[in-house]
Amino acid sequence: MLFAMSLPGRAPAPLVSVVLSACEDPRWPRLKARLQALRSKGRRSVRIVDVNCGHGGLLIRAASHARSLGFLAIEAVGLDSSTCHIENARQRARSLDDLAIGLRFDVGEPGPQLEAEAEFPADILLFEAPTRLSPRLRGAVRRAGDIALRISPSQRQACT
């Protein structure tokens, strides 16, 4: 536990860190509902893939939420083309200390990763995509996950 400085003779007061965001990711309500639906069907494991994951915040939050719902095995894979974002995501992921949660963050481009995911589709695919998808990329998204929760740059900008 972290403590704040205190006056002599007084117990230190605990520090509380609260992070409030101006806008929650628009995919979060559907993501929560999908996780709940899978758990209600008796699922004990879940696989979540986040393409263009950025700093990994949504994926980490999803994995933690899945665990709180009672999933016993959570595989969470994040992909981004930015090495800086992936390093940041890996650092953030170290805060999760739960053997039931397997988090992996990789540097890469969305097209090849989505094609690779088609062999073993994710239960939930998170995808931050350009406004217009090429037919090839659209097909790869369809094959890569049972459900795809997509966000476009215009939706992302509305949050900032």
Side-chain angles (χ1 to χ4, degrees), residues 120-142:
F120 182 60
D123 296 303
I124 300 171
L125 175 68
L126 303 169
F127 185 45
E128 185 167 337
T131 306
R132 299 189 66 131
L133 292 177
S134 68
R136 182 174 180 219
L137 195 54
R138 187 178 302 119
V141 168
R142 283 191 191 117

Side-chain angles (χ1 to χ4, degrees), residues 77-130:
V77 179
L79 176 83
D80 201 280
S81 60
S82 166
T83 304
C84 183
H85 281 158
I86 292 300
E87 287 303 319
N88 190 338
R90 288 175 180 160
Q91 188 167 4
R92 294 176 92 186
R94 288 186 193 113
S95 66
L96 284 181
D97 188 22
D98 190 328
L99 295 176
I101 300 174
L103 270 170
R104 188 181 89 223
F105 290 98
D106 298 320
V107 177
E109 293 300 320
Q113 181 67 29
L114 288 168
E115 290 292 339
E117 291 299 327
E119 191 171 323
F120 182 60
D123 296 303
I124 300 171
L125 175 68
L126 303 169
F127 185 45
E128 185 167 337

Side-chain angles (χ1 to χ4, degrees), residues 23-102:
C23 180
E24 192 171 81
D25 190 301
R27 298 169 293 180
W28 180 244
R30 288 186 59 209
L31 175 54
K32 277 181 28 179
R34 177 64 176 172
L35 286 168
Q36 183 62 51
L38 287 170
R39 190 65 191 104
S40 295
K41 290 178 182 176
R43 289 286 302 273
R44 293 175 169 250
S45 64
V46 66
R47 186 163 187 270
I48 308 165
V49 175
D50 190 353
V51 178
N52 293 332
C53 67
H55 58 73
L58 182 62
L59 185 60
I60 292 168
R61 184 176 180 191
S64 295
H65 186 68
R67 185 66 173 128
S68 73
L69 292 173
F71 284 94
L72 301 176
I74 298 113
E75 181 184 1
V77 179
L79 176 83
D80 201 280
S81 60
S82 166
T83 304
C84 183
H85 281 158
I86 292 300
E87 287 303 319
N88 190 338
R90 288 175 180 160
Q91 188 167 4
R92 294 176 92 186
R94 288 186 193 113
S95 66
L96 284 181
D97 188 22
D98 190 328
L99 295 176
I101 300 174

Side-chain angles (χ1 to χ4, degrees), residues 1-6 11-18:
M1 179 183 279
L2 297 173
F3 291 97
M5 293 180 60
S6 63
L15 284 176
V16 178
S17 175
V18 178

